[in-house]
Amino acid sequence: DAKTTQPNSMESNEEEPVHLPCNHSTISGTDYIHWYRQLPSQGPEYVIHGLTSNVNNRMASLAIAEDRKSSTLILHRATLRDAAVYYCILREDSGGSNYKLTFGKGTLLTVNP
Amino acid sequence: NAGVTQTPKFRILKIGQSMTLQCTQDMNHNYMYWYRQDPGMGLKLIYYSVGAGITDKGEVPNGYNVSRSTTEDFPLRLELAAPSQTSVYFCASSLGHATTYNEQFFGPGTRLTVL
């Protein structure tokens, strides 16, 4: 299984940008990079995903390295509500239509007021 | 839409008891999943289903059973509860078509303690 490596924790100040890194050196050509986050005492929620090109949505931006061995989730202006565990996940298409996600421990983001 | 709902929110079981965790989604999603999350850890996939009548094992299926008789419901059964099954259980669903966009929507979780 293709794996990801993330820092255990990061800190940011409110209203500052946050760059959350993820290494996935064994990524295969068909693996999509997904990011989910889990707010305290809640289930995970989808943030963003991409394959090769950088992606933007209302929540965040995803910057993908040219060799696809790493990616960075960018929160442009962190708020206290962004404090959560952020998971970088490679979506494995294991044949047929089995879209399984394998969650690691993620990065615990603390946002300081 | 209520999204993905799970019942109960909390439950305490004695060793050897059995119970069913309920999960329902109203988004007409084909795919449904059960995960468990132990303290300080990421989620681990227990079972998943790609449609009514079809289920398959995930990473940690031992001690659990599932069924999928309708598109909406995906109950998880614990037959002989053990302390190692103390965890938070999340149900999720996704559209599941052959597309790049397969966002999983998660329920609020069931916190289970086995004593």
Side-chain angles (χ1 to χ4, degrees), chain A residues 32 36 38 42-44 46 49 87 91 97-101 103-105, chain B residues 31 33 37 42-43 45 48 90 96-104 106:
Chain A
Y32 282 80
Y36 280 72
Q38 187 174 19
Q42 295 188 24
Y46 167 85
H49 79 284
Y87 298 99
R91 194 204 77 190
S97 52
N98 300 331
Y99 301 114
K100 292 184 284 188
L101 298 177
F103 286 79
K105 291 186 180 181
Chain B
Y31 288 19
Y33 314 81
Q37 185 174 34
L43 282 73
L45 184 65
Y48 66 101
F90 291 102
H97 291 169
T99 172
T100 66
Y101 187 71
N102 195 33
E103 173 187 352
Q104 290 190 18
F106 285 80

PDB file of all heavy atoms in Angstrom, chain A residues 32 36 38 42-44 46 49 87 91 97-101 103-105, chain B residues 31 33 37 42-43 45 48 90 96-104 106:
ATOM      1  N   TYR A  32      -4.892   9.101  -6.282  1.00  0.00           N
ATOM      2  CA  TYR A  32      -5.311  10.461  -6.000  1.00  0.00           C
ATOM      3  C   TYR A  32      -4.902  10.836  -4.571  1.00  0.00           C
ATOM      4  O   TYR A  32      -4.910   9.997  -3.675  1.00  0.00           O
ATOM      5  CB  TYR A  32      -6.824  10.606  -6.141  1.00  0.00           C
ATOM      6  CG  TYR A  32      -7.279  10.693  -7.570  1.00  0.00           C
ATOM      7  CD1 TYR A  32      -7.410   9.544  -8.348  1.00  0.00           C
ATOM      8  CD2 TYR A  32      -7.560  11.917  -8.156  1.00  0.00           C
ATOM      9  CE1 TYR A  32      -7.809   9.627  -9.668  1.00  0.00           C
ATOM     10  CE2 TYR A  32      -7.963  12.011  -9.469  1.00  0.00           C
ATOM     11  CZ  TYR A  32      -8.075  10.861 -10.222  1.00  0.00           C
ATOM     12  OH  TYR A  32      -8.469  10.939 -11.524  1.00  0.00           O
ATOM     13  N   TYR A  36      -8.483  15.004   4.342  1.00  0.00           N
ATOM     14  CA  TYR A  36      -9.643  15.079   5.216  1.00  0.00           C
ATOM     15  C   TYR A  36      -9.191  15.731   6.520  1.00  0.00           C
ATOM     16  O   TYR A  36      -8.004  15.737   6.836  1.00  0.00           O
ATOM     17  CB  TYR A  36     -10.200  13.682   5.529  1.00  0.00           C
ATOM     18  CG  TYR A  36     -11.062  13.085   4.449  1.00  0.00           C
ATOM     19  CD1 TYR A  36     -10.501  12.641   3.259  1.00  0.00           C
ATOM     20  CD2 TYR A  36     -12.434  12.980   4.609  1.00  0.00           C
ATOM     21  CE1 TYR A  36     -11.288  12.100   2.256  1.00  0.00           C
ATOM     22  CE2 TYR A  36     -13.243  12.443   3.612  1.00  0.00           C
ATOM     23  CZ  TYR A  36     -12.653  12.000   2.444  1.00  0.00           C
ATOM     24  OH  TYR A  36     -13.440  11.475   1.454  1.00  0.00           O
ATOM     25  N   GLN A  38     -10.458  16.217  10.826  1.00  0.00           N
ATOM     26  CA  GLN A  38     -11.350  15.746  11.876  1.00  0.00           C
ATOM     27  C   GLN A  38     -11.333  16.751  13.011  1.00  0.00           C
ATOM     28  O   GLN A  38     -10.319  16.876  13.720  1.00  0.00           O
ATOM     29  CB  GLN A  38     -10.941  14.358  12.362  1.00  0.00           C
ATOM     30  CG  GLN A  38     -11.915  13.737  13.333  1.00  0.00           C
ATOM     31  CD  GLN A  38     -11.563  12.303  13.688  1.00  0.00           C
ATOM     32  OE1 GLN A  38     -10.433  11.850  13.498  1.00  0.00           O
ATOM     33  NE2 GLN A  38     -12.530  11.565  14.200  1.00  0.00           N
ATOM     34  N   GLN A  42     -15.721  14.813  16.368  1.00  0.00           N
ATOM     35  CA  GLN A  42     -16.556  14.687  15.175  1.00  0.00           C
ATOM     36  C   GLN A  42     -15.958  13.651  14.233  1.00  0.00           C
ATOM     37  O   GLN A  42     -14.808  13.238  14.382  1.00  0.00           O
ATOM     38  CB  GLN A  42     -16.686  16.021  14.450  1.00  0.00           C
ATOM     39  CG  GLN A  42     -17.414  17.090  15.247  1.00  0.00           C
ATOM     40  CD  GLN A  42     -17.696  18.319  14.407  1.00  0.00           C
ATOM     41  OE1 GLN A  42     -17.773  18.245  13.186  1.00  0.00           O
ATOM     42  NE2 GLN A  42     -17.865  19.450  15.066  1.00  0.00           N
ATOM     43  N   GLY A  43     -16.758  13.248  13.258  1.00  0.00           N
ATOM     44  CA  GLY A  43     -16.234  12.393  12.210  1.00  0.00           C
ATOM     45  C   GLY A  43     -15.413  13.220  11.226  1.00  0.00           C
ATOM     46  O   GLY A  43     -15.540  14.437  11.168  1.00  0.00           O
ATOM     47  N   PRO A  44     -14.544  12.572  10.465  1.00  0.00           N
ATOM     48  CA  PRO A  44     -13.753  13.304   9.472  1.00  0.00           C
ATOM     49  C   PRO A  44     -14.637  13.978   8.431  1.00  0.00           C
ATOM     50  O   PRO A  44     -15.776  13.559   8.198  1.00  0.00           O
ATOM     51  CB  PRO A  44     -12.907  12.201   8.825  1.00  0.00           C
ATOM     52  CG  PRO A  44     -12.861  11.108   9.835  1.00  0.00           C
ATOM     53  CD  PRO A  44     -14.194  11.152  10.513  1.00  0.00           C
ATOM     54  N   TYR A  46     -14.309  15.803   4.387  1.00  0.00           N
ATOM     55  CA  TYR A  46     -13.502  15.990   3.187  1.00  0.00           C
ATOM     56  C   TYR A  46     -13.031  17.444   3.083  1.00  0.00           C
ATOM     57  O   TYR A  46     -13.779  18.383   3.379  1.00  0.00           O
ATOM     58  CB  TYR A  46     -14.351  15.620   1.971  1.00  0.00           C
ATOM     59  CG  TYR A  46     -13.793  16.025   0.636  1.00  0.00           C
ATOM     60  CD1 TYR A  46     -12.882  15.209  -0.032  1.00  0.00           C
ATOM     61  CD2 TYR A  46     -14.194  17.205   0.034  1.00  0.00           C
ATOM     62  CE1 TYR A  46     -12.392  15.571  -1.275  1.00  0.00           C
ATOM     63  CE2 TYR A  46     -13.703  17.574  -1.204  1.00  0.00           C
ATOM     64  CZ  TYR A  46     -12.807  16.755  -1.860  1.00  0.00           C
ATOM     65  OH  TYR A  46     -12.316  17.119  -3.084  1.00  0.00           O
ATOM     66  N   HIS A  49      -9.052  17.259  -2.895  1.00  0.00           N
ATOM     67  CA  HIS A  49      -8.286  16.160  -3.475  1.00  0.00           C
ATOM     68  C   HIS A  49      -7.712  16.604  -4.824  1.00  0.00           C
ATOM     69  O   HIS A  49      -8.205  17.576  -5.422  1.00  0.00           O
ATOM     70  CB  HIS A  49      -9.130  14.895  -3.639  1.00  0.00           C
ATOM     71  CG  HIS A  49     -10.032  14.903  -4.825  1.00  0.00           C
ATOM     72  ND1 HIS A  49     -11.211  15.625  -4.862  1.00  0.00           N
ATOM     73  CD2 HIS A  49      -9.936  14.287  -6.024  1.00  0.00           C
ATOM     74  CE1 HIS A  49     -11.803  15.428  -6.026  1.00  0.00           C
ATOM     75  NE2 HIS A  49     -11.054  14.638  -6.750  1.00  0.00           N
ATOM     76  N   TYR A  87      -5.637  14.774   7.763  1.00  0.00           N
ATOM     77  CA  TYR A  87      -5.167  13.502   7.215  1.00  0.00           C
ATOM     78  C   TYR A  87      -4.869  13.651   5.723  1.00  0.00           C
ATOM     79  O   TYR A  87      -5.731  14.114   4.955  1.00  0.00           O
ATOM     80  CB  TYR A  87      -6.219  12.412   7.375  1.00  0.00           C
ATOM     81  CG  TYR A  87      -6.586  12.074   8.792  1.00  0.00           C
ATOM     82  CD1 TYR A  87      -7.734  12.601   9.370  1.00  0.00           C
ATOM     83  CD2 TYR A  87      -5.797  11.217   9.550  1.00  0.00           C
ATOM     84  CE1 TYR A  87      -8.095  12.277  10.670  1.00  0.00           C
ATOM     85  CE2 TYR A  87      -6.151  10.889  10.855  1.00  0.00           C
ATOM     86  CZ  TYR A  87      -7.298  11.430  11.397  1.00  0.00           C
ATOM     87  OH  TYR A  87      -7.640  11.108  12.691  1.00  0.00           O
ATOM     88  N   ARG A  91      -5.761   7.711  -2.238  1.00  0.00           N
ATOM     89  CA  ARG A  91      -6.917   6.876  -2.558  1.00  0.00           C
ATOM     90  C   ARG A  91      -6.489   5.775  -3.503  1.00  0.00           C
ATOM     91  O   ARG A  91      -6.065   6.028  -4.618  1.00  0.00           O
ATOM     92  CB  ARG A  91      -8.034   7.686  -3.177  1.00  0.00           C
ATOM     93  CG  ARG A  91      -9.361   6.932  -3.211  1.00  0.00           C
ATOM     94  CD  ARG A  91     -10.268   7.451  -4.273  1.00  0.00           C
ATOM     95  NE  ARG A  91      -9.862   6.980  -5.590  1.00  0.00           N
ATOM     96  CZ  ARG A  91     -10.378   7.432  -6.731  1.00  0.00           C
ATOM     97  NH1 ARG A  91     -11.301   8.359  -6.704  1.00  0.00           N
ATOM     98  NH2 ARG A  91      -9.977   6.954  -7.888  1.00  0.00           N
ATOM     99  N   SER A  97     -14.350  -1.186  -8.442  1.00  0.00           N
ATOM    100  CA  SER A  97     -14.744   0.136  -7.982  1.00  0.00           C
ATOM    101  C   SER A  97     -14.594   0.235  -6.468  1.00  0.00           C
ATOM    102  O   SER A  97     -15.460   0.741  -5.776  1.00  0.00           O
ATOM    103  CB  SER A  97     -16.188   0.417  -8.413  1.00  0.00           C
ATOM    104  OG  SER A  97     -17.038  -0.648  -8.020  1.00  0.00           O
ATOM    105  N   ASN A  98     -13.499  -0.253  -5.954  1.00  0.00           N
ATOM    106  CA  ASN A  98     -13.277  -0.245  -4.510  1.00  0.00           C
ATOM    107  C   ASN A  98     -12.452   0.967  -4.105  1.00  0.00           C
ATOM    108  O   ASN A  98     -11.231   0.958  -4.152  1.00  0.00           O
ATOM    109  CB  ASN A  98     -12.544  -1.525  -4.086  1.00  0.00           C
ATOM    110  CG  ASN A  98     -13.345  -2.753  -4.438  1.00  0.00           C
ATOM    111  OD1 ASN A  98     -14.551  -2.706  -4.486  1.00  0.00           O
ATOM    112  ND2 ASN A  98     -12.652  -3.844  -4.690  1.00  0.00           N
ATOM    113  N   TYR A  99     -13.135   2.035  -3.721  1.00  0.00           N
ATOM    114  CA  TYR A  99     -12.426   3.268  -3.394  1.00  0.00           C
ATOM    115  C   TYR A  99     -12.204   3.356  -1.901  1.00  0.00           C
ATOM    116  O   TYR A  99     -12.929   4.026  -1.184  1.00  0.00           O
ATOM    117  CB  TYR A  99     -13.234   4.472  -3.889  1.00  0.00           C
ATOM    118  CG  TYR A  99     -13.476   4.431  -5.377  1.00  0.00           C
ATOM    119  CD1 TYR A  99     -14.747   4.285  -5.898  1.00  0.00           C
ATOM    120  CD2 TYR A  99     -12.415   4.526  -6.257  1.00  0.00           C
ATOM    121  CE1 TYR A  99     -14.962   4.254  -7.261  1.00  0.00           C
ATOM    122  CE2 TYR A  99     -12.628   4.497  -7.624  1.00  0.00           C
ATOM    123  CZ  TYR A  99     -13.888   4.362  -8.120  1.00  0.00           C
ATOM    124  OH  TYR A  99     -14.090   4.329  -9.460  1.00  0.00           O
ATOM    125  N   LYS A 100     -11.191   2.684  -1.435  1.00  0.00           N
ATOM    126  CA  LYS A 100     -10.914   2.671  -0.009  1.00  0.00           C
ATOM    127  C   LYS A 100      -9.927   3.761   0.352  1.00  0.00           C
ATOM    128  O   LYS A 100      -9.017   4.081  -0.402  1.00  0.00           O
ATOM    129  CB  LYS A 100     -10.350   1.302   0.391  1.00  0.00           C
ATOM    130  CG  LYS A 100     -11.370   0.187   0.279  1.00  0.00           C
ATOM    131  CD  LYS A 100     -10.806  -1.126   0.766  1.00  0.00           C
ATOM    132  CE  LYS A 100      -9.871  -1.718  -0.274  1.00  0.00           C
ATOM    133  NZ  LYS A 100      -9.465  -3.089   0.118  1.00  0.00           N
ATOM    134  N   LEU A 101     -10.115   4.341   1.524  1.00  0.00           N
ATOM    135  CA  LEU A 101      -9.194   5.336   2.065  1.00  0.00           C
ATOM    136  C   LEU A 101      -8.496   4.743   3.276  1.00  0.00           C
ATOM    137  O   LEU A 101      -9.144   4.147   4.123  1.00  0.00           O
ATOM    138  CB  LEU A 101      -9.949   6.596   2.487  1.00  0.00           C
ATOM    139  CG  LEU A 101     -10.700   7.358   1.412  1.00  0.00           C
ATOM    140  CD1 LEU A 101     -11.444   8.534   2.029  1.00  0.00           C
ATOM    141  CD2 LEU A 101      -9.744   7.845   0.329  1.00  0.00           C
ATOM    142  N   PHE A 103      -6.438   5.737   6.513  1.00  0.00           N
ATOM    143  CA  PHE A 103      -6.099   6.877   7.353  1.00  0.00           C
ATOM    144  C   PHE A 103      -4.862   6.568   8.188  1.00  0.00           C
ATOM    145  O   PHE A 103      -4.783   5.536   8.826  1.00  0.00           O
ATOM    146  CB  PHE A 103      -7.255   7.198   8.307  1.00  0.00           C
ATOM    147  CG  PHE A 103      -8.446   7.844   7.670  1.00  0.00           C
ATOM    148  CD1 PHE A 103      -9.357   7.082   6.956  1.00  0.00           C
ATOM    149  CD2 PHE A 103      -8.656   9.204   7.776  1.00  0.00           C
ATOM    150  CE1 PHE A 103     -10.463   7.666   6.368  1.00  0.00           C
ATOM    151  CE2 PHE A 103      -9.765   9.808   7.194  1.00  0.00           C
ATOM    152  CZ  PHE A 103     -10.659   9.040   6.486  1.00  0.00           C
ATOM    153  N   GLY A 104      -3.905   7.518   8.210  1.00  0.00           N
ATOM    154  CA  GLY A 104      -2.786   7.443   9.141  1.00  0.00           C
ATOM    155  C   GLY A 104      -3.144   8.209  10.399  1.00  0.00           C
ATOM    156  O   GLY A 104      -4.323   8.390  10.708  1.00  0.00           O
ATOM    157  N   LYS A 105      -2.119   8.666  11.135  1.00  0.00           N
ATOM    158  CA  LYS A 105      -2.373   9.419  12.366  1.00  0.00           C
ATOM    159  C   LYS A 105      -2.638  10.893  12.096  1.00  0.00           C
ATOM    160  O   LYS A 105      -3.188  11.592  12.930  1.00  0.00           O
ATOM    161  CB  LYS A 105      -1.201   9.281  13.334  1.00  0.00           C
ATOM    162  CG  LYS A 105      -1.045   7.898  13.917  1.00  0.00           C
ATOM    163  CD  LYS A 105       0.051   7.884  14.976  1.00  0.00           C
ATOM    164  CE  LYS A 105       0.220   6.500  15.564  1.00  0.00           C
ATOM    165  NZ  LYS A 105       1.262   6.482  16.611  1.00  0.00           N
TER     166      LYS A 105
ATOM    167  N   TYR B  31     -21.944   3.376  -1.891  1.00  0.00           N
ATOM    168  CA  TYR B  31     -20.905   2.819  -1.033  1.00  0.00           C
ATOM    169  C   TYR B  31     -21.132   3.221   0.421  1.00  0.00           C
ATOM    170  O   TYR B  31     -21.469   4.371   0.715  1.00  0.00           O
ATOM    171  CB  TYR B  31     -19.524   3.330  -1.447  1.00  0.00           C
ATOM    172  CG  TYR B  31     -18.978   2.772  -2.724  1.00  0.00           C
ATOM    173  CD1 TYR B  31     -19.781   2.177  -3.682  1.00  0.00           C
ATOM    174  CD2 TYR B  31     -17.615   2.840  -2.981  1.00  0.00           C
ATOM    175  CE1 TYR B  31     -19.251   1.669  -4.844  1.00  0.00           C
ATOM    176  CE2 TYR B  31     -17.075   2.334  -4.151  1.00  0.00           C
ATOM    177  CZ  TYR B  31     -17.903   1.750  -5.075  1.00  0.00           C
ATOM    178  OH  TYR B  31     -17.377   1.245  -6.232  1.00  0.00           O
ATOM    179  N   TYR B  33     -19.339   2.436   4.564  1.00  0.00           N
ATOM    180  CA  TYR B  33     -18.115   1.982   5.236  1.00  0.00           C
ATOM    181  C   TYR B  33     -18.309   2.020   6.756  1.00  0.00           C
ATOM    182  O   TYR B  33     -19.031   2.867   7.272  1.00  0.00           O
ATOM    183  CB  TYR B  33     -16.940   2.914   4.905  1.00  0.00           C
ATOM    184  CG  TYR B  33     -16.780   3.288   3.458  1.00  0.00           C
ATOM    185  CD1 TYR B  33     -17.555   4.298   2.886  1.00  0.00           C
ATOM    186  CD2 TYR B  33     -15.822   2.674   2.658  1.00  0.00           C
ATOM    187  CE1 TYR B  33     -17.397   4.662   1.564  1.00  0.00           C
ATOM    188  CE2 TYR B  33     -15.649   3.039   1.327  1.00  0.00           C
ATOM    189  CZ  TYR B  33     -16.437   4.041   0.791  1.00  0.00           C
ATOM    190  OH  TYR B  33     -16.277   4.405  -0.523  1.00  0.00           O
ATOM    191  N   GLN B  37     -11.943   3.961  15.479  1.00  0.00           N
ATOM    192  CA  GLN B  37     -10.849   4.864  15.801  1.00  0.00           C
ATOM    193  C   GLN B  37     -10.509   4.717  17.262  1.00  0.00           C
ATOM    194  O   GLN B  37     -11.293   5.069  18.145  1.00  0.00           O
ATOM    195  CB  GLN B  37     -11.215   6.320  15.496  1.00  0.00           C
ATOM    196  CG  GLN B  37     -10.057   7.276  15.712  1.00  0.00           C
ATOM    197  CD  GLN B  37     -10.376   8.678  15.266  1.00  0.00           C
ATOM    198  OE1 GLN B  37     -11.512   9.141  15.376  1.00  0.00           O
ATOM    199  NE2 GLN B  37      -9.375   9.394  14.766  1.00  0.00           N
ATOM    200  N   GLY B  42      -5.457   6.970  13.886  1.00  0.00           N
ATOM    201  CA  GLY B  42      -6.309   7.227  12.731  1.00  0.00           C
ATOM    202  C   GLY B  42      -7.411   6.194  12.637  1.00  0.00           C
ATOM    203  O   GLY B  42      -7.509   5.279  13.448  1.00  0.00           O
ATOM    204  N   LEU B  43      -8.252   6.332  11.629  1.00  0.00           N
ATOM    205  CA  LEU B  43      -9.371   5.409  11.448  1.00  0.00           C
ATOM    206  C   LEU B  43      -8.900   4.141  10.740  1.00  0.00           C
ATOM    207  O   LEU B  43      -8.063   4.197   9.838  1.00  0.00           O
ATOM    208  CB  LEU B  43     -10.467   6.069  10.605  1.00  0.00           C
ATOM    209  CG  LEU B  43     -11.369   7.075  11.307  1.00  0.00           C
ATOM    210  CD1 LEU B  43     -10.636   8.374  11.593  1.00  0.00           C
ATOM    211  CD2 LEU B  43     -12.608   7.350  10.458  1.00  0.00           C
ATOM    212  N   LEU B  45     -10.427   0.721   8.695  1.00  0.00           N
ATOM    213  CA  LEU B  45     -11.610   0.225   8.002  1.00  0.00           C
ATOM    214  C   LEU B  45     -11.965  -1.178   8.489  1.00  0.00           C
ATOM    215  O   LEU B  45     -11.126  -2.081   8.467  1.00  0.00           O
ATOM    216  CB  LEU B  45     -11.364   0.222   6.495  1.00  0.00           C
ATOM    217  CG  LEU B  45     -12.522  -0.185   5.598  1.00  0.00           C
ATOM    218  CD1 LEU B  45     -13.669   0.809   5.704  1.00  0.00           C
ATOM    219  CD2 LEU B  45     -12.061  -0.305   4.149  1.00  0.00           C
ATOM    220  N   TYR B  48     -16.793  -2.740   4.369  1.00  0.00           N
ATOM    221  CA  TYR B  48     -17.394  -1.788   3.464  1.00  0.00           C
ATOM    222  C   TYR B  48     -18.347  -2.504   2.530  1.00  0.00           C
ATOM    223  O   TYR B  48     -18.335  -3.743   2.434  1.00  0.00           O
ATOM    224  CB  TYR B  48     -16.340  -0.998   2.680  1.00  0.00           C
ATOM    225  CG  TYR B  48     -15.515  -1.808   1.712  1.00  0.00           C
ATOM    226  CD1 TYR B  48     -15.795  -1.796   0.344  1.00  0.00           C
ATOM    227  CD2 TYR B  48     -14.429  -2.559   2.161  1.00  0.00           C
ATOM    228  CE1 TYR B  48     -15.036  -2.528  -0.536  1.00  0.00           C
ATOM    229  CE2 TYR B  48     -13.671  -3.290   1.272  1.00  0.00           C
ATOM    230  CZ  TYR B  48     -13.953  -3.273  -0.067  1.00  0.00           C
ATOM    231  OH  TYR B  48     -13.207  -4.004  -0.949  1.00  0.00           O
ATOM    232  N   PHE B  90     -17.199   4.907  13.392  1.00  0.00           N
ATOM    233  CA  PHE B  90     -17.731   5.854  12.412  1.00  0.00           C
ATOM    234  C   PHE B  90     -18.260   5.103  11.199  1.00  0.00           C
ATOM    235  O   PHE B  90     -17.582   4.226  10.661  1.00  0.00           O
ATOM    236  CB  PHE B  90     -16.662   6.839  11.959  1.00  0.00           C
ATOM    237  CG  PHE B  90     -16.231   7.804  13.010  1.00  0.00           C
ATOM    238  CD1 PHE B  90     -15.044   7.622  13.699  1.00  0.00           C
ATOM    239  CD2 PHE B  90     -17.008   8.921  13.308  1.00  0.00           C
ATOM    240  CE1 PHE B  90     -14.638   8.515  14.673  1.00  0.00           C
ATOM    241  CE2 PHE B  90     -16.611   9.825  14.276  1.00  0.00           C
ATOM    242  CZ  PHE B  90     -15.429   9.620  14.972  1.00  0.00           C
ATOM    243  N   GLY B  96     -19.598   6.669  -5.052  1.00  0.00           N
ATOM    244  CA  GLY B  96     -19.033   5.400  -5.489  1.00  0.00           C
ATOM    245  C   GLY B  96     -19.010   5.155  -6.969  1.00  0.00           C
ATOM    246  O   GLY B  96     -18.629   4.081  -7.410  1.00  0.00           O
ATOM    247  N   HIS B  97     -19.368   6.134  -7.785  1.00  0.00           N
ATOM    248  CA  HIS B  97     -19.288   5.894  -9.204  1.00  0.00           C
ATOM    249  C   HIS B  97     -17.833   5.946  -9.645  1.00  0.00           C
ATOM    250  O   HIS B  97     -16.970   6.411  -8.931  1.00  0.00           O
ATOM    251  CB  HIS B  97     -20.110   6.932  -9.976  1.00  0.00           C
ATOM    252  CG  HIS B  97     -21.574   6.773  -9.759  1.00  0.00           C
ATOM    253  ND1 HIS B  97     -22.491   7.706 -10.169  1.00  0.00           N
ATOM    254  CD2 HIS B  97     -22.291   5.792  -9.182  1.00  0.00           C
ATOM    255  CE1 HIS B  97     -23.702   7.303  -9.849  1.00  0.00           C
ATOM    256  NE2 HIS B  97     -23.612   6.152  -9.246  1.00  0.00           N
ATOM    257  N   ALA B  98     -17.588   5.500 -10.852  1.00  0.00           N
ATOM    258  CA  ALA B  98     -16.226   5.483 -11.368  1.00  0.00           C
ATOM    259  C   ALA B  98     -15.837   6.899 -11.757  1.00  0.00           C
ATOM    260  O   ALA B  98     -15.820   7.281 -12.912  1.00  0.00           O
ATOM    261  CB  ALA B  98     -16.135   4.547 -12.567  1.00  0.00           C
ATOM    262  N   THR B  99     -15.525   7.676 -10.754  1.00  0.00           N
ATOM    263  CA  THR B  99     -15.159   9.061 -10.987  1.00  0.00           C
ATOM    264  C   THR B  99     -14.065   9.436 -10.013  1.00  0.00           C
ATOM    265  O   THR B  99     -13.869   8.763  -9.004  1.00  0.00           O
ATOM    266  CB  THR B  99     -16.373   9.991 -10.798  1.00  0.00           C
ATOM    267  OG1 THR B  99     -15.939  11.343 -10.861  1.00  0.00           O
ATOM    268  CG2 THR B  99     -17.002   9.765  -9.437  1.00  0.00           C
ATOM    269  N   THR B 100     -13.369  10.519 -10.270  1.00  0.00           N
ATOM    270  CA  THR B 100     -12.328  10.928  -9.334  1.00  0.00           C
ATOM    271  C   THR B 100     -12.931  11.472  -8.053  1.00  0.00           C
ATOM    272  O   THR B 100     -12.287  11.522  -7.026  1.00  0.00           O
ATOM    273  CB  THR B 100     -11.450  12.025  -9.945  1.00  0.00           C
ATOM    274  OG1 THR B 100     -12.221  13.209 -10.135  1.00  0.00           O
ATOM    275  CG2 THR B 100     -10.892  11.593 -11.271  1.00  0.00           C
ATOM    276  N   TYR B 101     -14.173  11.894  -8.139  1.00  0.00           N
ATOM    277  CA  TYR B 101     -14.780  12.540  -6.981  1.00  0.00           C
ATOM    278  C   TYR B 101     -15.558  11.508  -6.201  1.00  0.00           C
ATOM    279  O   TYR B 101     -16.639  11.108  -6.586  1.00  0.00           O
ATOM    280  CB  TYR B 101     -15.698  13.663  -7.450  1.00  0.00           C
ATOM    281  CG  TYR B 101     -16.234  14.500  -6.310  1.00  0.00           C
ATOM    282  CD1 TYR B 101     -15.394  15.365  -5.621  1.00  0.00           C
ATOM    283  CD2 TYR B 101     -17.553  14.413  -5.936  1.00  0.00           C
ATOM    284  CE1 TYR B 101     -15.883  16.137  -4.585  1.00  0.00           C
ATOM    285  CE2 TYR B 101     -18.051  15.180  -4.910  1.00  0.00           C
ATOM    286  CZ  TYR B 101     -17.210  16.049  -4.223  1.00  0.00           C
ATOM    287  OH  TYR B 101     -17.686  16.804  -3.200  1.00  0.00           O
ATOM    288  N   ASN B 102     -14.978  11.051  -5.105  1.00  0.00           N
ATOM    289  CA  ASN B 102     -15.626  10.023  -4.304  1.00  0.00           C
ATOM    290  C   ASN B 102     -15.547  10.379  -2.839  1.00  0.00           C
ATOM    291  O   ASN B 102     -15.152   9.578  -2.002  1.00  0.00           O
ATOM    292  CB  ASN B 102     -14.988   8.660  -4.568  1.00  0.00           C
ATOM    293  CG  ASN B 102     -15.842   7.516  -4.055  1.00  0.00           C
ATOM    294  OD1 ASN B 102     -17.063   7.591  -4.053  1.00  0.00           O
ATOM    295  ND2 ASN B 102     -15.200   6.461  -3.583  1.00  0.00           N
ATOM    296  N   GLU B 103     -15.951  11.611  -2.534  1.00  0.00           N
ATOM    297  CA  GLU B 103     -15.898  12.108  -1.165  1.00  0.00           C
ATOM    298  C   GLU B 103     -16.697  11.205  -0.241  1.00  0.00           C
ATOM    299  O   GLU B 103     -17.822  10.804  -0.550  1.00  0.00           O
ATOM    300  CB  GLU B 103     -16.485  13.507  -1.127  1.00  0.00           C
ATOM    301  CG  GLU B 103     -16.645  14.092   0.267  1.00  0.00           C
ATOM    302  CD  GLU B 103     -17.383  15.419   0.243  1.00  0.00           C
ATOM    303  OE1 GLU B 103     -17.618  15.945  -0.858  1.00  0.00           O
ATOM    304  OE2 GLU B 103     -17.719  15.917   1.332  1.00  0.00           O
ATOM    305  N   GLN B 104     -16.095  10.874   0.894  1.00  0.00           N
ATOM    306  CA  GLN B 104     -16.799  10.100   1.912  1.00  0.00           C
ATOM    307  C   GLN B 104     -17.415  11.053   2.923  1.00  0.00           C
ATOM    308  O   GLN B 104     -16.762  11.987   3.390  1.00  0.00           O
ATOM    309  CB  GLN B 104     -15.847   9.128   2.611  1.00  0.00           C
ATOM    310  CG  GLN B 104     -15.405   7.984   1.706  1.00  0.00           C
ATOM    311  CD  GLN B 104     -14.665   6.890   2.456  1.00  0.00           C
ATOM    312  OE1 GLN B 104     -14.732   6.776   3.677  1.00  0.00           O
ATOM    313  NE2 GLN B 104     -13.966   6.053   1.713  1.00  0.00           N
ATOM    314  N   PHE B 106     -19.116  11.318   6.630  1.00  0.00           N
ATOM    315  CA  PHE B 106     -19.058  10.563   7.874  1.00  0.00           C
ATOM    316  C   PHE B 106     -20.204  10.922   8.816  1.00  0.00           C
ATOM    317  O   PHE B 106     -20.663  12.065   8.858  1.00  0.00           O
ATOM    318  CB  PHE B 106     -17.732  10.818   8.589  1.00  0.00           C
ATOM    319  CG  PHE B 106     -16.569  10.113   7.962  1.00  0.00           C
ATOM    320  CD1 PHE B 106     -15.952  10.631   6.841  1.00  0.00           C
ATOM    321  CD2 PHE B 106     -16.096   8.921   8.492  1.00  0.00           C
ATOM    322  CE1 PHE B 106     -14.879   9.984   6.247  1.00  0.00           C
ATOM    323  CE2 PHE B 106     -15.027   8.261   7.908  1.00  0.00           C
ATOM    324  CZ  PHE B 106     -14.431   8.795   6.786  1.00  0.00           C
TER     325      PHE B 106
END
